[in-house]
């Protein structure tokens, strides 16, 4: 959370324009502080005034044009057109004036504080445009070309309003997350009484009661009761998830059926919902590289264009040519070319719960040539399951399972949980164990009905003098084996597997088609288990029996070979490797502070098909940005050529400005639909991986688990 807090405190330039982000952040502030609605109301008043001025001015301008045909004199028409020009020109001139006023005076006139103005004030994306349009308006008005002046103002205001209305879709996903922030909670006192309190005032270890239909007010753990929870807001899962005692729940999700009591673990700004909201706001507040370059030269742009227009006016003596040049040179479409595409992509990604911290990460994703996957919890479910059991000759399988389950019932190791789960499914009751002992990394032992029983690694049992000569483990290749012994003799083994995710093979095949030819899996598991998973999912290489430091070395080695490397992990034990990659992707980041802090991109669910979607989205976004820029360059050259031949008037230039801006927005808006085909549930589409010969990157001696 500290990282997010630092980033929130850093002033940023936004990707949609300061007014747009001001409205989004006003909504967020509105919901974080329920008593403060002033900023949102002020922004709405600005929009309402511009709409009213545009509509009224457009009507007056239309009447002026009609009057020109009715009356012999142009006096009535000019008076009406002048009134329309003043009415619609004032907002444009005022916004342009605010960009050149000293900062202190601008805040005083606007009635805002300097801190509040960091994200508000005049739209930066329209600053240079407003300045050039203001000059064109004043020139036309001063030359008594009132109809031309009013037409320019009307078309410019109309274009800006259409741009803002079209950009609403880019904010919808953000606002939907912001608006589901819970505001009230029913807190339980020690005596069991209920008190309604603001959700923001909840603290860790507070107990709350949540009834059907209520929003869960904070991250927490179920203490009593059972229910189903719709957590699509956080993880994107479309099917409600059953929750029982001990299960984790997230802030902003919806309790659907039962009454439950929760113990709060994180609330308010520390909750998962708040983290998601801040990640999206943070991403929307960053700017792509092309815009950062344009910003660097923005201060020189307006004076340069004005100088060129003055030279044109001096040599031609035609005011309309200079005015048309100013309108053609308005840079807003070029500035919008990148941000509109980026924000549309961020919105599409957020819809399937792919949270991108910065648009620069989205830009890097399209250059990825190598991906490093952690195995456990990433390519696999991270949950061991007993899939095979082989007693030695003369031993009953039920006895083998009962003895193993009796020992493992006293352990909390993942192997123990898997054995206990299969025993419960088989309705095998564990026996009482005396003198229980667990040897870390080796196994467990104890006395059961007077007999010495052991369960663990075969090598450990042999070191303890157990006779394993009658044990045949040929069927257990590629599994983790739990060997069970009684009275100094092995009586059989249980094979455990961490199964690969059903969609993993298909996701890695898609990455191969997208040009990511190096796909490496790294794990601390034995070679046999690692190779089995590697073959199933279709990685190109793997490294087994790896220590945490080996992951970092692997990433550095790939980068030294010239690869752009993405690292995919669960964020829990992959922190150094995630930080070393060009981009890092945390799987299943819902509720995980470590994942959010470590990774540049967070997948709120465990569905691997989000990774090829991310690469595809990045490439599509860069393509759309290039289309926007190339199209605009061609448009400007075409308009300048027409201007040189005398076919362009100021009104035509203003129309062209509006049309080109809308073309950029509509072209970028196509990205909103990316990802609509993706399932919102984990393990959606199983697919077979191509069979291939695999060799470990670092050969390891065969080891028996």
């Amino acid at each position: 959370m500290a990282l997010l807090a630092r980033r929130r405190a850093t002033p940023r330039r936004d990707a949609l324009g300061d007014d747009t982000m001001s409205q989004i952040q006003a909504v967020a502030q509105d919901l974080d502080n329920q008593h403060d609605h002033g900023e949102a109301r002020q922004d709405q008043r600005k929009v309402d005034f511009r709409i009213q001025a545009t509509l009224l001015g457009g009507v007056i301008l239309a009447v002026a044009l009609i009057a020109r045909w009715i009356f012999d004199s142009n006096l009535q028409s000019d008076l009406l057109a002048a009134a329309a020009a003043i009415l619609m020109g004032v907002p444009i001139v005022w916004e342009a004036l605010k960009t050149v006023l000293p900062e202190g005076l601008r805040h005083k006139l606007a009635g805002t504080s300097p801190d509040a103005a960091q994200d508000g004030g005049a739209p930066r994306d329209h600053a240079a445009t407003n300045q050039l349009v203001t000059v064109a308006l004043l020139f036309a008005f001063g030359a008594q070309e009132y109809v031309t002046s009013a037409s320019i103002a009307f078309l410019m205001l109309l274009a800006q309003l259409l741009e803002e209305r079209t950009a609403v879709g880019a904010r919808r996903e953000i606002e939907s997350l912001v608006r589901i922030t819970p505001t009230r909670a029913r807190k339980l006192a020690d005596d069991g009484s209920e008190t309604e309190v603001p959700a923001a005032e909840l603290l860790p270890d507070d107990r709350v009661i949540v009834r059907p239909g209520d929003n869960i007010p904070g991250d927490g753990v179920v203490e009593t009761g059972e229910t189903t929870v719709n957590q699509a807001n956080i993880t994107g899962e479309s099917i409600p998830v059953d929750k029982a005692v001990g299960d984790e729940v997230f802030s902003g999700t919806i309790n659907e059926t039962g009454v439950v009591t929760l113990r709060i673990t994180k609330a308010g700004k520390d909750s998962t919902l708040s983290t998601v909201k801040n990640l999206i706001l943070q991403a929307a507040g960053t700017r792509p590289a092309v815009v950062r370059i344009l910003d660097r030269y923005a201060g020189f742009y307006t004076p340069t264009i004005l100088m060129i227009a003055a030279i044109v006016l001096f040599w031609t003596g035609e005011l309309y040519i200079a005015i048309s040049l100013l309108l053609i040179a308005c840079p807003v479409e070029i500035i919008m070319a990148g941000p509109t595409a980026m924000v549309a992509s961020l919105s599409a990604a957020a819809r399937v719960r792919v949270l991108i911290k910065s648009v620069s990460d989205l830009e890097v994703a399209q250059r990825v040539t190598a991906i490093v996957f952690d195995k456990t919890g990433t390519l696999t479910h991270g949950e061991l399951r007993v899939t095979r059991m082989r007693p030695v000759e003369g031993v009953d399988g039920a006895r083998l399972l009962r003895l193993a389950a009796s020992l493992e019932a006293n352990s909390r190791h993942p192997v123990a949980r898997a054995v206990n789960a299969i025993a419960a499914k088989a309705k095998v009751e564990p026996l009482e164990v005396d003198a229980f002992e667990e040897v870390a990394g080796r196994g467990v032992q104890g006395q059961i009905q007077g007999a010495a029983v052991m369960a663990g690694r075969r090598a450990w049992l042999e070191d303890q003098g157990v006779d394993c000569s009658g044990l045949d483990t040929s069927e257990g290749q590629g599994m983790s084996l739990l060997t069970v012994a009684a009275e100094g003799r092995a009586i059989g083994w249980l094979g455990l597997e961490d199964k690969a995710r059903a969609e993993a093979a298909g996701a890695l095949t898609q990455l191969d088609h997208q040009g990511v030819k190096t796909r490496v899996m790294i794990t601390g598991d034995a070679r046999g288990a690692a190779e089995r998973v590697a073959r199933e999912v279709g990685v190109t290489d793997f490294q087994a029996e790896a220590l945490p430091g080996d992951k970092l070395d692997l990433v550095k080695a790939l980068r030294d070979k010239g690869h752009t490397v993405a690292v995919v992990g669960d964020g829990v034990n992959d922190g150094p490797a995630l930080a070393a990659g060009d981009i890092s992707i945390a799987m299943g980041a819902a509720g995980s502070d470590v994942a959010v802090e470590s990774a540049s991109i967070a997948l709120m669910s465990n569905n691997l098909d989000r990774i090829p979607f991310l690469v595809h989205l990045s490439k599509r976004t860069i393509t759309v940005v290039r289309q926007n820029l190339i199209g605009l360059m061609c448009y400007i050259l075409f308009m300048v050529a027409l201007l040189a031949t005398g076919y362009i008037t100021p009104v035509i230039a203003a129309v062209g400005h509006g049309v080109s801006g809308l073309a950029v927005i509509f072209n970028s808006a196509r990205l909103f639909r990316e990802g609509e085909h993706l399932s919102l549930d984990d393990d959606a589409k199983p697919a077979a991986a191509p069979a291939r010969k695999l060799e470990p990157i670092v050969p390891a001696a065969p080891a028996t688990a």
Side-chain angles (χ1 to χ4, degrees), residues 580-600:
D582 293 284
I583 60 170
S584 50
I585 303 170
M587 293 278 295
S592 172
D593 288 342
V594 177
V596 170
E597 296 287 354
S598 304
S600 49

Side-chain angles (χ1 to χ4, degrees), residues 185-222:
R186 300 200 67 83
K187 183 178 175 181
L188 290 175
D190 293 337
D191 60 2
S193 60
E194 298 180 23
T195 306
E196 188 172 291
V197 299
E201 294 181 4
L202 291 176
L203 298 173
D205 292 328
D206 282 347
R207 295 172 66 245
V208 297
I209 186 168
V210 183
R211 295 183 171 83
D214 290 348
N215 270 22
I216 293 175
D219 291 5
V221 177
V222 178

